Amino acid sequence: MTQLQPASDETSQTSLHHGRLGILGIVFFVVAAAAPLVGMTGGVPVAIVLGNGAAAPGAYMVVGVVLLCFSVGYAAMATKVTNAGAFFAFVGRGLGIIPGVGSAFVSLVAYIAVQLAVYGFFGAVIAGQMDSSFGISWSWWVWVLIAWAVVTGLSALSVDIGAKVLGVLMSFELLSLMVTSFAVLFSGNKPEGINFGASFSLPNIFVGGLASTAGVALLFAFASFIGFEATAIYGEEAREPHKTVPRATYLAIVTIMVIFGFASFAIVTGLGSSQVIDQVVKLSTVNKVPLTDPANVLFTVAETYVGSWMRDVMSWLVISSLFAGLLAFQNSAARYFFAMGRAGVLPKALDRVNGRGAPLTATLTTSVITLLVIVDFAVQGRDPVLTLFYWFSGLAVLAIVFVEILVSIAVIAFFSRRQGEVSVWASVMAPLLSIGGLLVGLWLLASRFGLLAGTVKAGVDPSTQPWGLNTTGWILVVSPFVMFVVGTIVGKIRLTEENEDAIADLVT
C-alpha cells in the first residue's frame, strides 16, 4: 500500500488520503450505519404491530425504490462533484453557496445526533448483556465511555482500518441474519407456509393509508435507511471516485433493501402471516406492556428455526452491530467537520489531517461534542434508550430526509444549466419522483415524530394521533429547519469575509 508522505505544504496537510477505499469498503461503512441487526430487533417488530402487519417487509421495498430514484440523480451528480462534504457540496453546486452552507449545518447535526442515539442504545444493551452473562453491573455510561475511546482511536488511526473492522463485524452480522432467514424459508414446520402476497402486494402494503398503519410502517422503513448517503462523503478517499461512488450508492441501497425486506419476511413467515401481529405482541410483552422487548421476536425465531446457540450469538452481534454503527457515523461526522473547516465555514483548524491521512482535528472535535452530551445525560440520570436513543434518532432521520429533498432539487437545478450531459431520467424524472416520495416521508416523520421519538403529550396515543408532541418533541422537530436558517445566515456572513473563495471552492 502506498504510504502518505509527511506533509510538506498546506495542500498535503489538508487533504484526505486518496485511494484507500474501494466499493466494498465504502458499502461496509454505509450498511454498518444502517445497523441491520439493530433494525431487525428494534424497528421491524414495531412496524409490524403498529404498522401494516405482515406487509411490513413490503414497506422496506417501497422506501428502497424511492431512495433508488433519489440515487439516480445523486449518483449522476457524484460524477461531477468529489468532495468530503457530499450533501452540502451537492446542494451548494445546484442551488448556490448559501443554501449549501445551510444544508451543511443540518447534515452535521444529523450525523452527530444519530451517533449519540447509537451510543445510548449501545450503553443499554451492553450493560444488560454483561450483567446477565458475567454479573458485571456497571452503569450504561461506563460502557459508552469505553466504546467512545475505542471509536475515537480507530477513527484517528486510519479510515481503511475502520473499514476492515467493519468488514469483520458486518460479515458475522449479515451471516446470522441470512442463516436464520433461510432456515425459516426452507423449514417444513412453518405455521402457514410462504405467502408473498401478504407481505409484498401493494394493497396490503398501503393498508390503512398513509395517515394510519401504512404510514407507520413506511416511517420505520425510512428510519432504517439512514446513512446510505454517506457513500459520497468518502469520494476523496475512494479509488476512481467518479465510478466508485455511484456504484457504491446503488449497491448500498439495494443491500439495505434486500437485507431488511428478506429478513423481515422471514420473521413474518416464521410466525405466520395471518397471526404475526398477535405473535409479535406476545413475544415482545414484558409486564403486560407490548413491544417492551422487541428483540425477543427475532431471537425467538432464530432459536426456533436454528437453535438456542443462534439466539446467544445474535444477542452479542447486536452489540457489535451498534459498535459498527458508532464507527461509521463517527467517520461521517468527522468528514463533514473537515470539509467545513477547509472551506472556512467553521474554524480553519478542523481541516488538519495526521500522517495517515485521517482528519484528526475533526475526529477529535466530533468526539468531544459526543462526550459532553453523554456526560450530561449520565449526570442527569436520563434513560439511555428512552431519551438519548429515541430523541436523537428521531432528530437524525428527520434532518437527513429534509436534506435529501434539497439534494434532489439541487440535482434538477444543476443539470438544467448543463443540458445534455446526462439523461432526462437522471436529471429530471428520477429526482422529481424522489422529491415526491421524500416529501411524503418528511411529513410522516414530522407528524408521527412522537411515535418515533417517544416525545408525546400526556394523554396522546401516537399510533393514532399525529402531531401530539410535547415541548421536547416540538424542539426536536423544528431543529433541522432552524439549523438550515442558521446555516444560511452563517454562509451569508462568511461570504463577506476573506474566505469567500474557499467557501466557493467547497461547492464547485
Side-chain angles (χ1 to χ4, degrees):
M1 179 180 296
T2 302
Q3 297 296 320
L4 183 68
Q5 298 300 315
S8 58
D9 53 42
E10 185 71 12
T11 300
S12 62
Q13 291 178 9
T14 60
S15 295
L16 297 172
H17 199 306
H18 300 283
R20 278 193 182 274
L21 290 173
I23 293 175
L24 292 182
I26 295 174
V27 171
F28 273 132
F29 272 113
V30 172
V31 177
L37 194 55
V38 176
M40 294 305 303
T41 54
V44 170
V46 181
I48 290 173
V49 173
L50 302 180
N52 54 4
Y60 288 93
M61 306 305 287
V62 169
V63 171
V65 170
V66 170
L67 295 179
L68 281 174
C69 289
F70 167 84
S71 296
V72 172
Y74 182 70
M77 202 163 179
T79 65
K80 311 295 181 182
V81 180
T82 301
N83 188 292
F87 261 16
F88 70 79
F90 287 17
V91 175
R93 178 67 82 81
L95 300 180
I97 294 173
I98 294 176
V101 176
S103 65
F105 276 68
V106 181
S107 299
L108 188 57
V109 166
Y111 281 112
I112 293 175
V114 74
Q115 191 182 19
L116 286 168
V118 177
Y119 269 125
F121 201 6
F122 176 88
V125 171
I126 194 172
Q129 184 75 355
M130 296 301 288
D131 189 16
S132 62
S133 298
F134 305 109
I136 302 175
S137 56
W138 295 351
S139 297
W140 66 270
W141 55 265
V142 176
W143 296 108
V144 167
L145 290 180
I146 293 173
W148 173 89
V150 176
V151 166
T152 300
L154 283 175
S155 299
L157 280 175
S158 176
V159 66
D160 59 339
I161 292 177
K164 292 171 185 175
V165 173
L166 289 179
V168 174
L169 298 177
M170 281 295 302
S171 296
F172 285 113
E173 180 181 349
L174 296 181
L175 182 61
S176 70
L177 281 174
M178 292 300 101
V179 168
T180 300
S181 298
F182 279 111
V184 171
L185 297 179
F186 285 104
S187 172
N189 297 319
K190 296 185 291 294
E192 299 177 9
I194 298 175
N195 188 342
F196 288 104
S199 294
F200 298 110
S201 68
L202 290 178
N204 288 333
I205 293 173
F206 291 99
V207 65
L210 294 177
S212 185
T213 52
V216 173
L218 291 168
L219 162 70
F220 281 93
F222 269 107
S224 297
F225 279 85
I226 186 172
F228 84 88
E229 72 292 333
T231 52
I233 292 176
Y234 299 98
E236 289 189 36
E237 297 157 280
R239 295 187 289 272
E240 298 184 280
H242 290 167
K243 295 180 181 178
T244 300
V245 170
R247 292 173 184 173
T249 302
Y250 289 123
L251 182 58
I253 293 177
V254 171
T255 300
I256 295 170
M257 182 169 61
V258 170
I259 290 171
F260 276 94
F262 182 57
S264 60
F265 179 63
I267 290 177
V268 170
T269 302
L271 298 177
S273 58
S274 69
Q275 54 185 325
V276 66
I277 295 178
D278 293 336
Q279 287 296 313
V280 170
V281 168
K282 177 182 176 181
L283 293 173
S284 65
T285 297
V286 177
N287 296 326
K288 298 183 180 180
V289 180
L291 296 174
T292 301
D293 184 18
N296 189 50
V297 177
L298 176 61
F299 292 166
T300 299
V301 171
E303 183 175 13
T304 301
Y305 290 92
V306 181
S308 59
W309 65 270
M310 181 60 82
R311 182 189 185 101
D312 295 334
V313 167
M314 280 187 166
S315 66
W316 286 105
L317 285 176
V318 168
I319 295 174
S320 71
S321 177
L322 287 165
F323 178 79
L326 288 173
L327 189 55
F329 286 119
Q330 171 82 10
N331 279 287
S332 297
R335 277 150 185 78
Y336 271 103
F337 270 124
F338 170 84
M340 294 169 74
R342 186 169 60 182
V345 174
L346 292 179
K348 194 70 174 169
L350 289 168
D351 69 359
R352 300 294 89 183
V353 299
N354 59 18
R356 300 184 64 88
L360 180 61
T361 307
T363 294
L364 294 178
T365 300
T366 303
S367 293
V368 168
I369 292 172
T370 55
L371 177 63
L372 291 174
V373 176
I374 290 166
V375 170
D376 177 67
F377 273 64
V379 169
Q380 295 191 49
R382 295 186 184 275
D383 186 277
V385 175
L386 297 180
T387 57
L388 193 59
F389 173 68
Y390 282 127
W391 291 3
F392 286 107
S393 60
L395 168 60
V397 69
L398 186 66
I400 287 295
V401 172
F402 172 47
V403 179
E404 287 170 352
I405 293 171
L406 294 177
V407 171
S408 294
I409 297 172
V411 169
I412 295 175
F414 176 80
F415 285 112
S416 69
R417 302 189 295 268
R418 305 164 73 103
Q419 294 184 3
E421 291 193 6
V422 297
S423 67
V424 175
W425 165 247
S427 61
V428 180
M429 298 304 297
L432 282 175
L433 289 173
S434 73
I435 290 170
L438 290 169
L439 281 172
V440 171
L442 187 68
W443 174 75
L444 290 173
L445 290 164
S447 64
R448 298 285 180 168
F449 192 83
L451 182 63
L452 188 66
T455 54
V456 294
K457 221 169 16 177
V460 171
D461 179 1
S463 64
T464 59
Q465 297 173 260
W467 301 111
L469 301 175
N470 58 20
T471 302
T472 300
W474 279 112
I475 290 173
L476 292 170
V477 164
V478 302
S479 292
F481 308 99
V482 171
M483 288 307 299
F484 180 74
V485 174
V486 170
T488 58
I489 294 173
V490 171
K492 179 66 175 177
I493 293 173
R494 299 297 283 174
L495 277 176
T496 65
E497 300 180 0
E498 71 278 359
N499 58 350
E500 180 175 352
D501 290 341
I503 298 177
D505 182 64
L506 176 67
V507 294
T508 59

